[in-house]
Amino acid sequence: MRRSLVIGNWKMHGTRTSNRELITQIQTGLNEGQNCDVAVCVPFTAIPDASATVANSTLRLGAQNVANAEQGAYTGEVSVGMLSEYDCQYALVGHSERRQIYRETDELVAERYEYAIKGGITPVLCIGETDEEREQGKTFAVIDEQLSAVINHCGIDSLSKAVIAYEPVWAIGTGKTATPDQAQEVHAYIRNQIAAQNADIAEKLIILYGGSVKPENAAELFGRDDIDGGLIGGASLQADSFLAIINAA
Ligand code: PEP
């Protein structure tokens, strides 16, 4: 039985003051007996404050990216060791905004994934097709390509230490959510592809859905067999809507 997971992705939002308020509101609003794990991936500069706030609580902390090296001349990057000092447990890798705006390739994403795992942080590998790719019937081919880049680089066993987020690019920040059937179809495909190589890892793997999840659609999405929770962008920026989504998990 997989335990649900809900992760907020704050992207590049907030101020020091507003981010402190938001994390405190989320932490205060979590039920003691909540039956899902919850994390927030905050901007790098918010990590120290957030780390102090979530200490001794069930709320977990994550980063929005991680370097593909341990240390050295990598201007602008933040290493897994640096994140671990602040008790980050997760790092997003391969978010579509990184792939599209910053041209991160499958190879670079696989290296970031590798360094997260080596450093003891759970990579949340984001994969998903664009609108055009879906229309051209390439959804599964894109999933195969993005997934196999990581499996070829780090091996199938690495997925026992990772989380996957299926995020159709056309659904991110657009208000256009995948239907539960569309999402379940791709989640099942991902699990089956992995099961073909290792059934036990596939069975235990947490696969999140991301893309315009809101309190109104969360329960139906999370109710599907292979959808183990969500990666939440916009709706994680308000404590009320994020908490409502957590309650739906
Ligand atoms: C995301 O950025 O990972 C995301 C899912 O965003 P949104 O929920 O705003 O679509």
Side-chain angles (χ1 to χ4, degrees):
M1 187 64 185
R2 295 180 296 272
R3 187 171 159 84
S4 303
L5 171 66
V6 175
I7 301 182
N9 173 15
W10 290 6
K11 310 194 185 191
M12 196 174 70
H13 286 293
T15 62
R16 190 171 185 188
T17 307
S18 70
N19 285 338
R20 275 179 177 165
E21 273 169 21
L22 179 56
I23 203 151
T24 305
Q25 285 166 357
I26 293 169
Q27 191 182 26
T28 320
L30 287 181
N31 296 324
E32 279 205 0
Q34 112 230 357
N35 53 8
C36 76
D37 294 325
V38 182
V40 280
C41 292
V42 305
F44 286 128
T45 52
I47 287 176
D49 278 346
S51 174
T53 310
V54 304
N56 304 317
S57 85
T58 56
L59 183 57
R60 300 174 179 182
L61 188 57
Q64 297 172 19
N65 211 350
V66 61
N68 59 329
E70 253 168 54
Q71 61 167 10
Y74 298 92
T75 302
E77 293 287 324
V78 175
S79 74
V80 67
M82 292 167 176
L83 297 175
S84 295
E85 282 194 302
Y86 290 96
D87 299 320
C88 284
Q89 294 185 47
Y90 299 94
L92 305 183
V93 295
H95 191 280
S96 64
E97 286 151 17
R98 300 298 316 177
R99 293 180 188 266
Q100 293 198 320
I101 305 171
Y102 299 99
R103 303 273 183 266
E104 292 200 6
T105 60
D106 281 340
E107 291 67 34
L108 175 56
V109 171
E111 288 176 12
R112 294 189 186 283
Y113 171 100
E114 172 199 345
Y115 275 84
I117 289 186
K118 282 204 299 206
I121 285 188
T122 304
V124 180
L125 173 69
C126 304
I127 57 178
E129 81 288 0
T130 62
D131 211 356
E132 203 184 346
E133 288 163 341
R134 176 164 279 263
E135 274 169 22
Q136 292 170 354
K138 292 184 182 160
T139 299
F140 297 135
V142 171
I143 296 294
D144 286 342
E145 205 176 294
Q146 294 178 340
L147 203 52
S148 61
V150 158
I151 296 173
N152 292 341
H153 189 73
C154 295
I156 190 78
D157 289 355
S158 69
L159 285 169
S160 64
K161 297 188 178 128
V163 166
I164 289 183
Y166 168 57
E167 298 209 302
V169 180
W170 47 271
I172 298 180
T174 57
K176 204 169 141 191
T177 320
T179 64
D181 284 349
Q182 283 174 320
Q184 166 58 27
E185 184 187 28
V186 181
H187 281 235
Y189 179 81
I190 295 169
R191 205 179 298 285
N192 286 338
Q193 293 299 96
I194 295 165
Q197 297 185 56
N198 187 317
D200 187 48
I201 287 177
E203 180 54 35
K204 291 181 181 145
L205 181 68
I206 301 288
I207 308 178
L208 307 179
Y209 168 77
S212 298
V213 177
K214 308 175 203 77
E216 303 79 55
N217 58 25
E220 214 193 331
L221 284 159
F222 299 167
R224 294 305 173 104
D225 285 354
D226 291 292
I227 305 181
D228 305 313
L231 178 56
I232 320 297
S236 71
L237 295 173
Q238 301 289 335
D240 284 358
S241 51
F242 191 51
L243 290 166
I245 291 169
I246 292 164
N247 288 333

